[in-house]
CSV table of all heavy atoms in Angstrom, one decimal:
chain,number,residue,atom,x,y,z
A,379,ALA,N,-10.4,8.5,-23.9
A,379,ALA,CA,-11.6,8.1,-23.2
A,379,ALA,C,-12.8,7.9,-24.1
A,379,ALA,O,-13.6,7.0,-23.9
A,379,ALA,CB,-11.9,9.2,-22.1
A,380,ILE,N,-12.9,8.8,-25.1
A,380,ILE,CA,-14.0,8.7,-26.1
A,380,ILE,C,-13.9,7.4,-26.8
A,380,ILE,O,-14.9,6.7,-27.0
A,380,ILE,CB,-14.0,9.9,-27.0
A,380,ILE,CG1,-14.3,11.2,-26.2
A,380,ILE,CG2,-15.1,9.7,-28.1
A,380,ILE,CD1,-14.1,12.5,-27.1
A,381,VAL,N,-12.7,7.1,-27.3
A,381,VAL,CA,-12.5,5.9,-28.1
A,381,VAL,C,-12.8,4.7,-27.2
A,381,VAL,O,-13.4,3.7,-27.7
A,381,VAL,CB,-11.0,5.9,-28.6
A,381,VAL,CG1,-10.7,4.5,-29.2
A,381,VAL,CG2,-10.8,7.0,-29.6
A,382,THR,N,-12.3,4.7,-26.0
A,382,THR,CA,-12.5,3.5,-25.1
A,382,THR,C,-14.0,3.3,-24.8
A,382,THR,O,-14.5,2.2,-24.8
A,382,THR,CB,-11.8,3.7,-23.8
A,382,THR,OG1,-10.4,3.9,-24.0
A,382,THR,CG2,-12.0,2.5,-22.9
A,383,GLY,N,-14.7,4.4,-24.6
A,383,GLY,CA,-16.1,4.3,-24.3
A,383,GLY,C,-17.0,3.9,-25.5
A,383,GLY,O,-18.0,3.2,-25.3
A,384,LEU,N,-16.5,4.2,-26.7
A,384,LEU,CA,-17.3,3.8,-27.9
A,384,LEU,C,-16.8,2.6,-28.6
A,384,LEU,O,-17.5,2.1,-29.5
A,384,LEU,CB,-17.3,5.0,-28.9
A,384,LEU,CG,-18.0,6.3,-28.4
A,384,LEU,CD1,-17.8,7.4,-29.5
A,384,LEU,CD2,-19.4,6.1,-28.1
A,385,LYS,N,-15.7,2.1,-28.2
A,385,LYS,CA,-15.1,0.9,-28.9
A,385,LYS,C,-16.0,-0.3,-28.8
A,385,LYS,O,-16.6,-0.6,-27.8
A,385,LYS,CB,-13.7,0.5,-28.3
A,385,LYS,CG,-12.9,-0.2,-29.3
A,385,LYS,CD,-11.4,-0.2,-28.8
A,385,LYS,CE,-10.5,-0.8,-29.9
A,385,LYS,NZ,-9.1,-0.7,-29.5
A,386,GLY,N,-16.2,-0.9,-30.0
A,386,GLY,CA,-17.1,-2.1,-30.0
A,386,GLY,C,-18.4,-1.7,-30.6
A,386,GLY,O,-19.2,-2.6,-31.0
A,387,MET,N,-18.8,-0.5,-30.6
A,387,MET,CA,-20.1,0.0,-31.1
A,387,MET,C,-20.0,0.0,-32.7
A,387,MET,O,-18.9,0.2,-33.2
A,387,MET,CB,-20.5,1.3,-30.6
A,387,MET,CG,-20.7,1.4,-29.1
A,387,MET,SD,-21.2,3.0,-28.5
A,387,MET,CE,-22.8,3.2,-29.4
A,388,PRO,N,-21.1,-0.2,-33.3
A,388,PRO,CA,-21.1,-0.1,-34.8
A,388,PRO,C,-20.7,1.3,-35.3
A,388,PRO,O,-21.2,2.3,-34.7
A,388,PRO,CB,-22.6,-0.4,-35.2
A,388,PRO,CG,-23.2,-1.1,-34.0
A,388,PRO,CD,-22.4,-0.6,-32.8
A,389,TYR,N,-19.9,1.3,-36.3
A,389,TYR,CA,-19.4,2.6,-36.8
A,389,TYR,C,-18.8,3.5,-35.8
A,389,TYR,O,-18.9,4.7,-35.8
A,389,TYR,CB,-20.5,3.4,-37.5
A,389,TYR,CG,-21.3,2.5,-38.5
A,389,TYR,CD1,-22.5,2.0,-38.3
A,389,TYR,CD2,-20.7,2.3,-39.8
A,389,TYR,CE1,-23.2,1.3,-39.2
A,389,TYR,CE2,-21.4,1.5,-40.8
A,389,TYR,CZ,-22.6,1.0,-40.5
A,389,TYR,OH,-23.3,0.3,-41.4
A,390,TYR,N,-18.0,2.9,-34.8
A,390,TYR,CA,-17.5,3.7,-33.7
A,390,TYR,C,-16.5,4.7,-34.2
A,390,TYR,O,-16.4,5.8,-33.6
A,390,TYR,CB,-16.9,2.8,-32.7
A,390,TYR,CG,-15.4,2.5,-32.8
A,390,TYR,CD1,-14.5,3.3,-32.1
A,390,TYR,CD2,-15.0,1.5,-33.6
A,390,TYR,CE1,-13.1,3.0,-32.3
A,390,TYR,CE2,-13.6,1.2,-33.8
A,390,TYR,CZ,-12.7,2.0,-33.1
A,390,TYR,OH,-11.4,1.7,-33.2
A,391,GLY,N,-15.8,4.4,-35.3
A,391,GLY,CA,-14.9,5.4,-35.9
A,391,GLY,C,-15.6,6.7,-36.4
A,391,GLY,O,-15.1,7.8,-36.2
A,392,GLU,N,-16.8,6.5,-37.0
A,392,GLU,CA,-17.6,7.6,-37.4
A,392,GLU,C,-18.1,8.4,-36.2
A,392,GLU,O,-18.2,9.6,-36.2
A,392,GLU,CB,-18.8,7.1,-38.3
A,392,GLU,CG,-18.3,6.6,-39.6
A,392,GLU,CD,-17.8,7.6,-40.6
A,392,GLU,OE1,-18.1,8.8,-40.3
A,392,GLU,OE2,-17.2,7.3,-41.6
A,393,LEU,N,-18.5,7.6,-35.1
A,393,LEU,CA,-19.0,8.3,-33.9
A,393,LEU,C,-17.9,9.1,-33.3
A,393,LEU,O,-18.2,10.3,-32.8
A,393,LEU,CB,-19.6,7.2,-33.0
A,393,LEU,CG,-20.8,6.5,-33.4
A,393,LEU,CD1,-21.2,5.4,-32.4
A,393,LEU,CD2,-22.0,7.5,-33.5
A,394,VAL,N,-16.7,8.6,-33.2
A,394,VAL,CA,-15.6,9.3,-32.6
A,394,VAL,C,-15.4,10.6,-33.4
A,394,VAL,O,-15.2,11.7,-32.8
A,394,VAL,CB,-14.4,8.5,-32.5
A,394,VAL,CG1,-13.1,9.3,-32.2
A,394,VAL,CG2,-14.5,7.3,-31.6
A,395,ALA,N,-15.3,10.5,-34.7
A,395,ALA,CA,-15.1,11.7,-35.6
A,395,ALA,C,-16.2,12.7,-35.4
A,395,ALA,O,-15.9,13.9,-35.3
A,395,ALA,CB,-15.1,11.2,-37.1
A,396,PHE,N,-17.5,12.2,-35.3
A,396,PHE,CA,-18.6,13.2,-35.1
A,396,PHE,C,-18.5,13.9,-33.8
A,396,PHE,O,-18.7,15.1,-33.8
A,396,PHE,CB,-19.9,12.4,-35.2
A,396,PHE,CG,-21.1,13.2,-35.2
A,396,PHE,CD1,-21.6,13.8,-36.3
A,396,PHE,CD2,-21.8,13.5,-34.0
A,396,PHE,CE1,-22.7,14.6,-36.3
A,396,PHE,CE2,-22.9,14.3,-34.0
A,396,PHE,CZ,-23.4,14.9,-35.2
A,397,ILE,N,-18.1,13.2,-32.7
A,397,ILE,CA,-18.0,13.9,-31.4
A,397,ILE,C,-16.8,14.9,-31.4
A,397,ILE,O,-17.0,16.0,-30.9
A,397,ILE,CB,-17.7,12.8,-30.3
A,397,ILE,CG1,-19.0,12.0,-30.1
A,397,ILE,CG2,-17.3,13.5,-29.0
A,397,ILE,CD1,-18.8,10.8,-29.2
A,398,VAL,N,-15.7,14.5,-32.1
A,398,VAL,CA,-14.6,15.5,-32.1
A,398,VAL,C,-14.9,16.7,-33.0
A,398,VAL,O,-14.6,17.8,-32.6
A,398,VAL,CB,-13.3,14.8,-32.7
A,398,VAL,CG1,-12.2,15.8,-33.0
A,398,VAL,CG2,-12.8,13.7,-31.8
A,399,PHE,N,-15.6,16.5,-34.1
A,399,PHE,CA,-16.1,17.6,-34.9
A,399,PHE,C,-17.0,18.5,-34.1
A,399,PHE,O,-16.9,19.8,-34.1
A,399,PHE,CB,-16.8,17.1,-36.1
A,399,PHE,CG,-15.9,16.7,-37.3
A,399,PHE,CD1,-16.1,15.5,-37.9
A,399,PHE,CD2,-14.9,17.5,-37.7
A,399,PHE,CE1,-15.3,15.1,-39.0
A,399,PHE,CE2,-14.0,17.1,-38.7
A,399,PHE,CZ,-14.3,16.0,-39.4
A,400,PHE,N,-17.9,17.9,-33.4
A,400,PHE,CA,-18.9,18.7,-32.5
A,400,PHE,C,-18.2,19.5,-31.5
A,400,PHE,O,-18.4,20.7,-31.3
A,400,PHE,CB,-19.9,17.7,-31.9
A,400,PHE,CG,-20.9,18.4,-31.0
A,400,PHE,CD1,-22.0,19.0,-31.5
A,400,PHE,CD2,-20.6,18.4,-29.6
A,400,PHE,CE1,-22.9,19.7,-30.6
A,400,PHE,CE2,-21.5,19.0,-28.7
A,400,PHE,CZ,-22.7,19.6,-29.2
A,401,LEU,N,-17.3,18.8,-30.7
A,401,LEU,CA,-16.6,19.5,-29.6
A,401,LEU,C,-15.6,20.6,-30.1
A,401,LEU,O,-15.4,21.6,-29.4
A,401,LEU,CB,-15.8,18.5,-28.8
A,401,LEU,CG,-16.6,17.5,-28.0
A,401,LEU,CD1,-15.7,16.5,-27.3
A,401,LEU,CD2,-17.5,18.2,-27.0
A,402,SER,N,-15.1,20.4,-31.4
A,402,SER,CA,-14.2,21.4,-31.9
A,402,SER,C,-14.9,22.7,-32.3
A,402,SER,O,-14.3,23.8,-32.4
A,402,SER,CB,-13.4,20.8,-33.1
A,402,SER,OG,-14.3,20.6,-34.2
A,403,GLY,N,-16.2,22.7,-32.6
A,403,GLY,CA,-16.9,23.8,-33.1
A,403,GLY,C,-18.0,24.4,-32.3
A,403,GLY,O,-18.3,25.6,-32.4
A,404,ILE,N,-18.5,23.7,-31.3
A,404,ILE,CA,-19.6,24.1,-30.5
A,404,ILE,C,-19.3,25.4,-29.7
A,404,ILE,O,-20.2,26.3,-29.6
A,404,ILE,CB,-20.1,23.0,-29.6
A,404,ILE,CG1,-21.4,23.4,-28.8
A,404,ILE,CG2,-19.1,22.5,-28.6
A,404,ILE,CD1,-22.6,23.8,-29.6
A,405,TRP,N,-18.1,25.5,-29.2
A,405,TRP,CA,-17.7,26.6,-28.4
A,405,TRP,C,-17.7,27.9,-29.1
A,405,TRP,O,-18.0,29.0,-28.6
A,405,TRP,CB,-16.4,26.4,-27.6
A,405,TRP,CG,-16.4,25.1,-26.9
A,405,TRP,CD1,-15.6,24.0,-27.1
A,405,TRP,CD2,-17.3,24.7,-25.8
A,405,TRP,NE1,-16.0,23.0,-26.2
A,405,TRP,CE2,-17.0,23.4,-25.4
A,405,TRP,CE3,-18.3,25.4,-25.1
A,405,TRP,CZ2,-17.7,22.8,-24.3
A,405,TRP,CZ3,-19.0,24.8,-24.1
A,405,TRP,CH2,-18.7,23.5,-23.7
A,406,TYR,N,-17.3,27.8,-30.4
A,406,TYR,CA,-17.4,29.0,-31.3
A,406,TYR,C,-18.8,29.6,-31.4
A,406,TYR,O,-19.0,30.8,-31.4
A,406,TYR,CB,-16.8,28.7,-32.7
A,406,TYR,CG,-15.3,28.5,-32.6
A,406,TYR,CD1,-14.8,27.2,-32.5
A,406,TYR,CD2,-14.4,29.5,-32.8
A,406,TYR,CE1,-13.5,26.9,-32.5
A,406,TYR,CE2,-13.0,29.2,-32.8
A,406,TYR,CZ,-12.6,27.9,-32.7
A,406,TYR,OH,-11.2,27.7,-32.6
A,407,ILE,N,-19.7,28.6,-31.6
A,407,ILE,CA,-21.1,29.0,-31.7
A,407,ILE,C,-21.6,29.7,-30.4
A,407,ILE,O,-22.2,30.8,-30.4
A,407,ILE,CB,-22.0,27.8,-32.0
A,407,ILE,CG1,-21.6,27.2,-33.3
A,407,ILE,CG2,-23.5,28.2,-32.0
A,407,ILE,CD1,-22.0,28.0,-34.5
A,408,ILE,N,-21.3,29.1,-29.3
A,408,ILE,CA,-21.8,29.6,-28.0
A,408,ILE,C,-21.2,30.9,-27.6
A,408,ILE,O,-21.9,31.9,-27.3
A,408,ILE,CB,-21.6,28.5,-26.9
A,408,ILE,CG1,-22.5,27.3,-27.1
A,408,ILE,CG2,-21.8,29.1,-25.5
A,408,ILE,CD1,-22.3,26.2,-26.1
A,409,PHE,N,-19.8,31.0,-27.7
A,409,PHE,CA,-19.2,32.2,-27.2
A,409,PHE,C,-19.4,33.4,-28.2
A,409,PHE,O,-19.5,34.5,-27.7
A,409,PHE,CB,-17.7,31.9,-27.0
A,409,PHE,CG,-17.4,31.1,-25.8
A,409,PHE,CD1,-16.6,29.9,-25.9
A,409,PHE,CD2,-17.9,31.4,-24.6
A,409,PHE,CE1,-16.4,29.1,-24.8
A,409,PHE,CE2,-17.6,30.7,-23.5
A,409,PHE,CZ,-16.9,29.5,-23.6
A,410,SER,N,-19.4,33.1,-29.5
A,410,SER,CA,-19.7,34.2,-30.4
A,410,SER,C,-21.1,34.8,-30.3
A,410,SER,O,-21.3,36.0,-30.3
A,410,SER,CB,-19.5,33.7,-31.9
A,410,SER,OG,-18.1,33.4,-32.1
A,411,THR,N,-22.0,33.9,-30.0
A,411,THR,CA,-23.4,34.3,-29.8
A,411,THR,C,-23.5,35.0,-28.4
A,411,THR,O,-24.2,36.1,-28.3
A,411,THR,CB,-24.3,33.1,-29.8
A,411,THR,OG1,-24.2,32.4,-31.0
A,411,THR,CG2,-25.8,33.6,-29.7
Side-chain angles (χ1 to χ4, degrees):
I380 295 172
V381 170
T382 302
L384 296 177
K385 204 162 187 177
M387 295 182 64
Y389 306 104
Y390 92 96
E392 294 288 346
L393 291 175
V394 170
F396 187 84
I397 292 174
V398 173
F399 280 134
F400 176 82
L401 293 177
S402 66
I404 182 63
W405 306 117
Y406 291 89
I407 298 290
I408 291 176
F409 288 126
S410 293
T411 306

